[in-house]
Amino acid sequence: MTTVVDLRDVTRDNAALRRFLHGLPGVDQVGAEGRAGALATRSIKTTAKAWAIDTAISMVDLTTLEGADTPGKVRSLCAKAMRPDPTDASVPAVAAVCVYPDLVETAVHALRGSRVGVASVATAFPSGRASLETKLHDVRDAVAAGASEIDMVIDRGAFLAGRYLQVFEEIVATKAACGTAHLKVILETGELATLDNTRRASWLALLAGGDFIKTSTGKVAPAATPPVALVMLEAVRDYREVSGELRGVKLAGGIRASKEAVRYLVMVNEVAGDDWLDPRLFRFGASSLLNDLLLQRHKLATGSYDGPDYVTVD
């Protein structure tokens, strides 16, 4: 996107937002699927694979978002986040641990002294259906407990009904409630139905101040897919072109294998650029992925596979 855009002007009211979002270039679904598929066929050397596996580990948000979560489970997850392989100190720590707001304090205490961040889902996760006051209270609680990152969900009903300004203003208010904490905006692309909507929602979140755009809550299928990732990476690339600002992308849900993660890193490099090959700008929200990354890393180092007991059960 090379057109000069006054980003303040396009958010002045719902009509202006609609004109801007519906004026974005349409996504050729077949073309996007074809390009994403072609990028997945790239082969990389063994030395590059070792780098990619360590980079992917450093980009994981280790997550537990179950009703049965306990402080003990969170402390165990935090230990794994800081030292993913207890037998090998060369394995990098993950980027963050993501928990519900009431367990943030436990995670903060367990991760004290490490560089692992504490992320918390908020804003009536995963539906996003609550009053703005309730959502902001959720965010302030998590930040007060020590969360350094907030994962918010957008109101997909409002977005699909065309109430773009309402969604924009909720993201702006949430960003303000975050203070110094980083804000990841979950689009829930599986409910947006089309790649055109994914592009519009990406831009809406970026215009409103989201530090990251994120695919999914992990509760709705399909979650992260190559075509969706392609469109979101194009959005942050194009947003940088018009604003000069770097914003991140987080892929969440359904990524379990190392080879998938490596393919996504190839896509990141070729679509957005190598600036995004950094945990500050790209994340995987896939806890089960970490175990496969550890198994493949061990295979590269020793030449043989270990059994599933090599990694902990999450």
Side-chain angles (χ1 to χ4, degrees):
M1 175 178 286
T2 56
T3 306
V4 175
V5 178
D6 185 339
L7 297 181
R8 292 168 300 179
D9 189 52
V10 302
T11 59
R12 69 175 183 277
D13 56 35
N14 201 62
L17 258 176
R18 171 180 286 278
R19 279 194 298 275
F20 175 76
L21 296 176
H22 285 260
L24 291 169
V27 181
D28 175 355
Q29 174 120 12
V30 174
E33 290 173 351
R35 187 175 182 212
L39 290 172
T41 63
R42 298 279 199 275
S43 60
I44 65 172
K45 296 179 180 177
T46 301
T47 52
K49 186 177 180 182
W51 174 87
I53 287 175
D54 275 4
T55 301
I57 290 172
S58 72
M59 293 172 164
V60 168
D61 281 0
L62 206 51
T63 302
T64 182
L65 296 172
E66 302 296 335
D69 285 346
T70 63
K73 182 178 181 181
V74 169
R75 282 191 287 271
S76 175
L77 204 65
C78 290
K80 184 171 182 177
M82 293 185 286
R83 188 76 179 267
D85 183 345
T87 69
D88 187 349
S90 69
V91 178
V94 306
V97 168
C98 183
V99 296
Y100 278 118
D102 63 308
L103 290 165
V104 165
E105 192 171 351
T106 299
V108 169
H109 187 266
L111 293 169
R112 187 163 294 156
S114 77
R115 295 183 177 180
V116 180
V118 177
S120 181
V121 294
T123 65
F125 179 93
S127 69
R129 305 301 292 262
S131 70
L132 179 58
E133 182 180 357
T134 297
K135 293 177 182 180
L136 297 181
H137 185 77
D138 211 16
V139 173
R140 293 188 187 107
D141 267 358
V143 172
S148 54
E149 303 176 5
I150 295 294
D151 289 26
M152 75 165 287
V153 286
I154 65 168
D155 183 336
R156 282 84 74 192
F159 177 87
L160 292 171
R163 300 198 303 275
Y164 300 128
L165 190 63
Q166 176 186 332
V167 180
F168 174 84
E169 290 178 339
E170 286 197 354
I171 298 171
V172 170
T174 304
K175 173 67 176 171
C178 283
T180 59
H182 276 210
L183 176 63
K184 305 191 196 93
V185 182
I186 305 171
L187 309 181
E188 198 66 290
T189 55
E191 292 184 339
L192 298 184
T194 68
L195 292 176
D196 282 330
N197 277 341
T198 295
R199 175 167 285 174
R200 290 169 187 147
S202 296
W203 270 90
L204 187 57
L206 295 169
L207 289 167
D211 296 297
F212 269 75
I213 49 176
K214 176 179 170 182
T215 54
S216 172
T217 60
K219 308 293 187 185
V220 173
T225 67
V228 162
L230 180 74
V231 170
M232 293 173 67
L233 288 165
E234 289 176 342
V236 294
R237 176 200 65 195
D238 294 342
Y239 185 79
R240 179 193 199 177
E241 191 173 323
V242 299
S243 71
E245 298 176 9
L246 285 162
R247 305 289 180 83
V249 172
K250 178 176 174 179
L251 306 182
I255 304 171
R256 296 182 176 84
S258 296
K259 63 182 180 182
E260 293 175 84
V262 172
R263 288 171 181 168
Y264 277 121
L265 292 183
V266 171
M267 183 183 291
V268 169
N269 184 58
E270 297 206 15
V271 176
D274 56 11
D275 283 340
W276 273 266
L277 292 173
D278 187 303
R280 290 172 295 183
L281 290 172
F282 190 75
R283 299 277 184 88
F284 292 106
S287 293
S288 58
L289 169 63
L290 179 59
N291 281 347
D292 193 59
L293 288 166
L294 293 173
L295 287 170
Q296 295 304 324
R297 190 182 193 276
H298 195 67
K299 162 72 166 41
L300 277 178
T302 65
S304 63
Y305 281 109
D306 279 87
D309 291 342
Y310 179 73
V311 294
T312 59
V313 177
D314 298 321

